[in-house]
Amino acid sequence: MQIYGETFDSRLMLGTARYPSPDILRQAIAASGAKIVTVSLRREAAGERAGQAFWDIIREAGVSVLPNTAGCHSVREAVTTAEMAREVFGTTLIKLEVIGDADTLQPDLFGLVEATQILSSEGFQVLAYTTEDLVAADRLVEAGCRVLMPWGSPIGSARGLNNVYGLRAMRARFPDLTLIVDAGIGVPSHASQAMELGYDGVLLSSAVALAGDPVKMAEAFRLAVAAGRLGYEADPLLPRDMAEPSTPVLGQALLGGAVLS
Amino acid sequence: MEITVIGAGVAGLVTAVTLAERGAAVTLHERSGNLGDNAASWLAGGMLAPYCEAESADPGVVAPGLAAIDWWAERVPGVTRKGTLVVASGRDVGEVSRFARRSGGGLPLDGAGIAALEPNLAGRFHRGLHFAAEAHLDPRIALAALVHRLEGLGGKIRFGSALDPETAPGDTVIDCRGIASDAPGLRSVRGEMLILRTGDIRLSRPIRLLHPRMPVYIVPRGEGLFMIGATMIESSDAGGVRLRSAVELMNAAYALHPAFAEAEVVEMKAGRRPALADNLPKVTRRGRIVSVSGLYRHGFLLSPDCAAKAANIILGNTKREEIAA
């Protein structure tokens, strides 16, 4: 998976919040095979580097850290958080979230585009948490974003891919852009489905962190993402209306002669 | 044997009392001038809820947690054994089944069952769980009672006395400084809490309100006081409560019952929980220093067990260098 020119040999990205303990988080990261984990920067943790102990634990996992602006509800807040994150984590990568609705945590697409413009001009490499809206996607790309992260469904809802058509259309519209399904993944088959659509990767958090056995669930997602990607690369069959037998049935009584055509 | 205990939070007080009960000459030193100042346990919920905690914690907390209820009930006033009520509202009711599965129990309740336990919540919630074996106490009453008990057993307590374990007097030193200790691997998990006062609502037991993003609890403290807690933030920030957290906690109280809208905000404080990488406490010995650390959000629940382990190491000639709690 390519993120701004860098190649990562896992297509699964993991959030780091709400695990039962840092130990279990570490084990889950290892079991998932993820090479990138996201860390949300609370403002109070950034001041005086109050979150240092937790960040050290994540760094010890030996994976790349992708800071995010989770919980930011305005452009100003998101930009400030991104700037703090760049300082704390020493990376220009930022997963940009500008939340527009406190209930659904739906991204504010207008604010997102504006924040992307500001951050791109400041040298950030933005991974934008967006919806499957193609017009917003165009604007984000114009603003300099090269990794789009459309939601599967609202954050933490575990509903899977709500709009498969929209996600498919986005993949078709941006064949060369890195596209990652972010948010709403509940079970491994959701991740497989995103990969089968040709998405470059999947980001998930609570599906693993809040599972009864996060480490086992991380392993399940590792397998699901790999399976979905292989399925996509193998050029799968398309659904069709007619049955097509996998073995010839010549010699059996035929109805309509369909198999001879 | 002269034993010095450093830190008069719940870990230090329980350890000092446990040792004094076993006949040791104990002196407890506390850097703060008053009981509870700078102590995470002063801000605790005081829930003795091992089953509910096991929803997210290691199931190993259940047995020592149940034993802790008896430990406290035998020593301090105000231990209330009415269980814990877990509720969820509206579209979050699915959380109840998940919580029941993870915590391994709880009696399922419908709206009538909830109203029977807590008449003030009648009509507000339609699904819940009752963990009847759980209990709660008022941490401040409990800690003050332990001070009294320690002195009654001949133990001494020195406030305003900051000691370094390395140079502290005594045959054995027990480091119970919590987050103030610099033990390797110890980190701070910040917590924020409120105390509200209202005469408009009565509750008999702690209520846990399940919400996928912000689970909170409300513990009745008597005389119209309610403790609302608590945030869990990976941060060593020792500053005051942030508005975002205050709003979330207040919203939760309001969601439990709109009468809280008129409650007086009596107190709003933030503290730092000492935690290790597995979020479980640990009792270790190095030379003459024994450390009790990492009680995380389980100070009242697990300190009796940790104290017994520390006492066994010191008085019982336990040979093991490290005993995981």
Side-chain angles (χ1 to χ4, degrees):
Chain A
M1 179 172 66
Q2 292 268 331
I3 307 278
Y4 285 94
E6 200 175 336
T7 306
F8 294 89
D9 65 4
S10 167
R11 295 179 178 277
L12 179 58
M13 299 160 87
L14 222 50
T16 53
R18 304 182 68 191
Y19 281 80
S21 73
D23 264 356
I24 290 175
L25 163 61
R26 261 197 296 244
Q27 293 168 37
I29 293 172
S32 74
K35 297 294 180 240
I36 303 175
V37 297
T38 60
V39 177
S40 109
L41 192 69
R42 298 268 305 213
R43 296 275 284 278
E44 64 262 48
E48 311 292 319
R49 304 211 160 206
Q52 195 66 50
F54 184 68
W55 304 331
D56 286 345
I57 287 167
I58 292 168
R59 283 203 190 88
E60 282 163 22
V63 293
S64 297
V65 172
L66 172 63
N68 70 29
T69 63
C72 290
H73 286 253
S74 73
V75 173
R76 194 61 250 161
E77 199 184 358
V79 168
T80 306
T81 304
E83 287 165 349
M84 281 180 173
R86 175 165 62 181
E87 203 171 303
V88 168
F89 296 104
T91 174
T92 51
L93 292 173
I94 186 77
K95 193 199 131 188
L96 183 62
E97 288 184 21
V98 183
I99 299 302
D101 183 85
D103 190 40
T104 62
L105 301 179
Q106 183 164 350
D108 169 1
L109 299 176
F110 306 93
L112 185 66
V113 171
E114 191 185 335
T116 300
Q117 283 164 344
I118 295 169
L119 291 171
S120 295
S121 73
E122 291 181 5
F124 280 93
Q125 295 165 312
V126 174
L127 295 84
Y129 167 62
T130 181
T131 68
E132 65 279 33
D133 187 288
L134 292 181
V135 181
D138 278 333
R139 297 284 186 275
L140 288 167
V141 173
E142 280 168 23
C145 180
R146 293 293 173 266
V147 179
L148 297 175
M149 305 183 83
W151 63 354
S153 47
I155 295 172
S157 69
R159 301 185 69 84
L161 310 186
N162 254 357
N163 181 358
V164 172
Y165 159 76
L167 290 170
R168 204 190 297 277
M170 183 176 249
R171 180 72 282 182
R173 172 73 69 94
F174 302 102
D176 301 321
L177 217 58
T178 297
L179 299 182
I180 296 167
V181 169
D182 177 8
I185 302 284
V187 291
S189 57
H190 295 153
S192 292
Q193 192 188 9
M195 298 311 294
E196 287 164 4
L197 292 175
Y199 275 72
D200 296 275
V202 169
L203 191 159
L204 50 96
S205 189
S206 41
V208 169
L210 301 183
D213 184 340
V215 181
K216 192 175 274 187
M217 191 59 89
E219 162 92 14
F221 272 103
R222 180 178 67 78
L223 296 168
V225 167
R229 180 65 188 183
L230 282 174
Y232 169 73
E233 289 175 354
D235 192 5
L237 293 184
L238 295 175
R240 53 176 84 226
D241 293 335
M242 298 282 290
E244 184 178 359
S246 55
T247 51
V249 290
L250 203 62
Q252 293 186 11
L254 300 177
L255 293 172
V259 296
L260 293 176
S261 62
Chain B
M1 185 189 282
E2 292 283 338
I3 295 176
T4 299
V5 180
I6 308 178
V10 67
L13 275 164
V14 170
T15 303
V17 164
T18 299
L19 285 161
E21 286 175 355
R22 289 180 60 170
V26 181
T27 307
L28 175 57
H29 293 262
E30 166 58 45
R31 65 180 167 149
S32 300
N34 299 296
L35 180 67
D37 287 359
N38 298 311
S41 41
W42 197 251
L43 307 181
M47 291 180 298
L48 301 168
Y51 294 109
C52 288
E53 287 302 310
E55 184 255 342
S56 60
D58 189 289
V61 304
V62 173
L66 288 172
I69 297 174
D70 293 332
W71 193 94
W72 286 107
E74 286 158 13
R75 287 164 182 83
V76 307
V79 175
T80 308
R81 295 175 184 256
K82 288 187 176 171
T84 303
L85 177 60
V86 174
V87 294
S89 63
R91 56 198 178 160
D92 300 329
V93 291
E95 294 292 312
V96 174
S97 329
R98 194 185 60 83
F99 194 92
R101 219 166 51 237
R102 297 282 172 76
S103 56
L107 178 71
L109 298 174
D110 58 8
I114 292 168
L117 284 177
E118 296 290 355
N120 279 197
L121 299 182
R124 298 201 50 75
F125 296 95
H126 306 289
R127 276 197 69 194
L129 298 166
H130 184 216
F131 292 84
E134 297 185 338
H136 71 282
L137 51 69
D138 182 328
R140 298 172 187 188
I141 291 173
L143 294 179
L146 288 189
V147 170
H148 188 68
R149 183 175 178 88
L150 177 63
E151 288 171 338
L153 290 162
K156 300 183 187 77
I157 180 158
R158 304 272 175 267
F159 286 100
S161 167
L163 288 187
D164 178 344
E166 300 290 340
T167 55
D171 301 311
T172 297
V173 175
I174 309 182
D175 183 357
C176 297
R177 290 176 297 163
I179 199 63
S181 116
D182 45 9
L186 199 69
R187 73 184 200 288
S188 155
V189 179
R190 180 177 155 87
E192 294 148 295
M193 52 80 80
L194 309 177
I195 294 181
L196 305 179
R197 188 190 344 250
T198 173
D200 294 343
I201 178 168
R202 271 173 202 282
L203 298 172
S204 304
R205 53 182 63 71
I207 315 289
R208 291 189 183 225
L209 183 60
L210 301 183
H211 182 281
R213 281 178 232 156
M214 180 70 195
V216 293
Y217 53 81
I218 298 186
V219 188
R221 289 273 167 88
E223 295 173 0
L225 293 172
F226 297 86
M227 182 272 186
I228 322 285
T231 56
M232 302 265 288
I233 301 170
E234 293 285 349
S235 169
S236 58
D237 177 18
V241 176
R242 303 292 169 131
L243 183 139
R244 182 203 304 264
S245 301
V247 167
E248 283 171 350
L249 294 171
M250 289 172 182
N251 262 339
Y254 185 73
L256 187 77
H257 201 292
F260 278 110
E262 297 300 324
E264 175 192 356
V265 179
V266 176
E267 189 176 316
M268 230 189 316
K269 283 209 171 84
R272 299 188 296 162
R273 306 177 184 92
L276 294 163
D278 58 2
N279 287 346
L280 290 172
K282 211 165 163 184
V283 181
T284 54
R285 173 174 209 156
R286 191 171 49 80
R288 67 178 190 120
I289 302 173
V290 173
S291 296
V292 178
S293 64
L295 276 152
Y296 184 50
R297 53 181 277 154
H298 300 135
F300 285 84
L301 194 66
L302 298 182
S303 56
D305 185 59
C306 290
K309 283 171 172 153
N312 286 341
I313 289 176
I314 295 159
L315 305 176
N317 290 322
T318 304
K319 287 282 191 288
R320 284 171 295 171
E321 286 298 292
E322 182 176 305
I323 299 175

